[in-house]
Each structure stands twice: as structure tokens, then as C-alpha cells.
Amino acid sequence: MLILFSSLGAHGHLFPLLPLARAAVRAGHRVKFATTGGFHEVLAGIGVEPVVAGAGMRDFASQVLPPGKSPRDLADAEGIPIIARLFGDLLARSFATDVAGLIEQERPDLVVQELANPGAGIAARAAGVPVLCHGFGRMSTGSEMPKLMVGHLRGVAAEHGVDLGDVDADAGDDSPFLLGNPYLDICPPSLRDPSFSVPGTIPLRPVPFATPGELPAIATAPRDKPLVYLTLGTAFGHAEVFRAAIDGLASLDAHVLVAAGPAVETAALGEVPDNVSLHAWVPQADLLPHVDLVVHHGGSGTTMGALGAGVPQLVLPQGADQFSNAEAVVAAGLGERLIGDEVAAEAVASAARGLLVSEEVAVAAKAVAAEIAAMPSPDEVAARLPELI
């Protein structure tokens, strides 16, 4: 059958869907992936046909952000309505229009909609095509954003002749993103927010994905000291936070591997000590099994990857869902977090030093990794796709 995947054009939204897309190809299905143009080479490289759809988040930045501000600068009271409009209106409308045209042209048997891309789900519902909603991490409740999003989504849906009357504006969770469709959940059960309960949830093992690349030598070389990996992801990197973390981690009796990511130039981080290895990018999915501690921003991809590798985590959340991910890591005994002004060299060093020697955290991390390994694999879920439509 023909399966059309669609996600927003960002690493943290697209990469979690690729293991299932690749498994669907292995299962003999035709697979197309509708997203913005920046990831088309990656998609083609795994045997998935890329098709252009939607706009990127940056394309709408000038319409939603106050002049001179980034999402990190916004307090919740100011930021939540802005983000709700970005995801529930502008991005949803862009993808709904483009995916509707693709569905009319291609007539897929199934649409797999990334959670934060409800526009693709609206287009599929308008055409009567079955939809599965694919999560990208741990979903949490308590935000006002879903309630605000429903109003925006109803307007987008109405433009496509779809009535979202069965989507509960007062659910208090992320149900507006799902549009009432079955949910592929990659979060291990023990870390799920108990108040986020979706009937018919289909568990799916989170498998980290990275574009091919060579690991730094320190990752696989024999060593007598622990290896600490520092990243702030692809969207929320800040040189000041990196510098504080590097200064703290460099004081440890450990090797430190830093991935600056696309948001920060390595030159902006200055000189680093001999025990610090600085890189613009590393194949993170391949690196994680080799590290002893991950110090990171709390993005869903890195959090899930560290969980699957059974590695303790020190989380330095910067925005978006990173704060709730950090809270979940700490609550499960899997690591520590430092927030805002707490991110100072001394605090980073102290927290990292404690995590590297904590047997309790190590045992908890290995237990969650075993739980993830027992979840249905992408190949197992791909084999079930025909029965799910």
C-alpha cells in the first residue's frame, strides 16, 4: 500500500518518524514523506520518496514573534498564545493545503501524521483517508496551549470541510494534535504522563536516527576515564550555556565530547581544554551507546535516545517541551536538572560528578532502557499497518 508520512520540517519532529518510515519500506510498502525541502536528501537516502509540503517555522517567525525576540525570550503568558497560533493556525494551514493536494494526486491508503502537524491530519480526514498520529516524545498535560489551539484548528479544518466537533477543547491535554486518531506513542510507559491517556494507543519503540557520519575517535577508543557528551540540540543552542557547561565539565576527570549543533558556531565557544573535544556535529544515534553521561537541553530526541541507551542525564532545559522532559527525568531518578541561572560551571560540575558515580541512577537508567527494548519495534509495527487502517 501507499503510505504518506508528514511532519514539520525540523529534526526533533521529523527524525522520530524515520525508523517507522524505513521499516515500512522494508515491509514492501511504497512510502512518501511530505515535509519542507531541507530534509529531502535524508529521506531519499533511506529509500523514502520526499515530496515538498508546508512551510518552516522560521517562515512565520516575523508574523508571530515580537521584534527582536526569539521563543526563548517569551514568558509563558506571552509565549503560549504565540506558539498556539504558529502550530494551530499558520503551520497547520500551510500543511493542510499542501497535503490535501498531495492526497488528491497520490491517493494514499494511509497517512501518518506527526503529532505537531495536525494540518496533515485535517487534509486526510477531509479526503476520508485513515490517519495514524505519530508522537515524537513524552507528551505532558497542564498547558493552556491545547485549548488555544483548538480554536485555530477548527478554523483550518472548516476551510477543508472538516468538523472538529469531536475534539475536546477542554481536555487539558494534547488531544487537539491527535484529532481523535489512533496514536503511535514512542514514550516508555513508565515515563508517560498518567493524565495523558489516549484510547487505542499503539506503543512503538523509540529508535534514534542520525544521518550517516564518522564517530569522533574518542567515542570508540580504549579509555580509562568516563566520556561525557554535551549537546544543546538543533534549535536551542546558546553559546553562554555551552560555555558554562564546558567550563564545568572540563574540571572533571573525564573526556568531554561537545556537539555545537547548527545554532552555534564552534568558533563562538572559544578555546577548550585538552580533555574537551569540540565538534560542529556528531551522529548522535551512533554515539549514545558509547557515553557515560549525557548533558543536554531536554529535547525529545536526545531525551528518548539517552533513555534507550540507558545513560544518566543532566538536563539544562531552554524552552518548549524541554522543561517537562527534565522534570520527568528527575522524577524517575534518571538524572538531574539545572534551570536558568542555576546553569553555572560549578553547579554543572557538581551535578555531573554525582551522576557519574551514582549506582542508583545507573540502575534506574538501565531499567528504562530494558523497558524500551521490550516495546514493539518499528518493523513489528510496520507489519501491522494494513490492519490498522
Side-chain angles (χ1 to χ4, degrees):
M1 65 182 183
L2 173 59
I3 306 172
L4 178 64
F5 285 73
S6 184
S7 83
L8 300 183
H11 292 83
H13 293 268
L14 185 144
F15 276 21
L17 276 67
L18 297 188
L20 182 61
R22 187 159 50 180
V25 171
R26 289 194 294 267
H29 302 297
R30 293 177 56 213
V31 179
K32 299 193 176 189
F33 204 118
T35 190
T36 54
F39 293 93
H40 285 199
E41 184 176 350
V42 173
L43 293 167
I46 63 170
V48 171
E49 181 181 341
V51 287
V52 176
M57 298 181 205
R58 295 181 186 274
D59 296 328
F60 294 118
S62 62
Q63 297 184 43
V64 297
L65 291 174
K69 287 194 173 184
S70 73
R72 188 188 184 208
D73 302 321
L74 304 177
D76 282 352
E78 182 183 18
I80 287 176
I82 289 174
I83 301 303
R85 181 184 172 217
L86 174 63
F87 283 85
D89 180 4
L90 301 176
L91 288 169
R93 177 172 282 105
S94 171
F95 274 89
T97 299
D98 289 352
V99 173
L102 289 170
I103 290 174
E104 182 177 3
Q105 176 182 341
E106 302 288 347
R107 303 308 304 173
D109 301 289
L110 172 67
V111 169
V112 179
Q113 163 221 328
E114 179 248 317
L115 178 72
N117 187 20
I122 287 171
R125 181 179 287 197
V129 178
V131 184
L132 292 176
C133 182
H134 193 308
F136 56 82
R138 178 182 185 271
M139 297 300 107
S140 61
T141 64
S143 171
E144 290 295 313
M145 189 187 306
K147 297 179 183 180
L148 295 175
M149 280 192 63
V150 170
H152 293 303
L153 288 174
R154 289 194 196 283
V156 175
E159 294 173 7
H160 291 266
V162 173
D163 180 10
L164 296 184
D166 55 344
V167 173
D168 184 2
D170 296 316
D173 57 28
D174 288 305
S175 60
F177 295 88
L178 276 71
L179 304 176
N181 297 312
Y183 181 50
L184 294 164
D185 194 351
I186 66 170
C187 183
S190 65
L191 267 75
R192 291 175 188 162
D193 185 329
S195 61
F196 180 72
S197 178
V198 180
T201 290
I202 302 161
L204 171 63
R205 185 188 307 162
V207 176
F209 177 88
T211 52
E214 187 173 348
L215 282 173
I218 189 61
T220 55
R223 59 180 186 270
D224 57 0
K225 298 178 182 180
L227 177 61
V228 179
Y229 171 48
L230 169 62
T231 176
L232 296 180
T234 57
F236 282 85
H238 294 276
E240 301 84 359
V241 179
F242 263 124
R243 193 66 246 183
I246 289 172
D247 290 345
L249 297 173
S251 69
L252 304 176
D253 187 22
H255 300 287
V256 181
L257 194 158
V258 182
V264 176
E265 295 287 340
T266 54
L269 301 179
E271 296 294 324
V272 297
D274 291 342
N275 66 330
V276 176
S277 174
L278 180 58
H279 305 267
W281 172 88
V282 296
Q284 181 171 286
D286 300 325
L287 172 66
L288 288 173
H290 298 282
V291 307
D292 300 288
L293 172 66
V294 182
V295 181
H296 66 102
H297 55 304
S300 289
T302 305
T303 302
M304 289 294 130
L307 292 175
V311 184
Q313 306 180 46
L314 173 56
V315 190
L316 316 175
Q318 305 295 300
D321 60 345
Q322 298 166 14
F323 295 97
S324 61
N325 288 336
E327 182 179 354
V329 166
V330 173
L334 303 168
E336 302 287 348
R337 66 177 173 181
L338 297 171
I339 297 176
D341 293 340
E342 295 175 348
V343 183
E346 297 81 3
V348 170
S350 177
R353 189 176 294 113
L355 289 170
L356 284 170
V357 298
S358 172
E359 284 192 27
E360 184 178 1
V361 172
V363 168
K366 296 301 182 186
V368 172
E371 179 185 10
I372 288 174
M375 294 172 70
S377 70
D379 286 300
E380 291 171 320
V381 173
R384 291 185 57 203
L385 289 176
E387 73 186 57
L388 297 176
I389 64 175

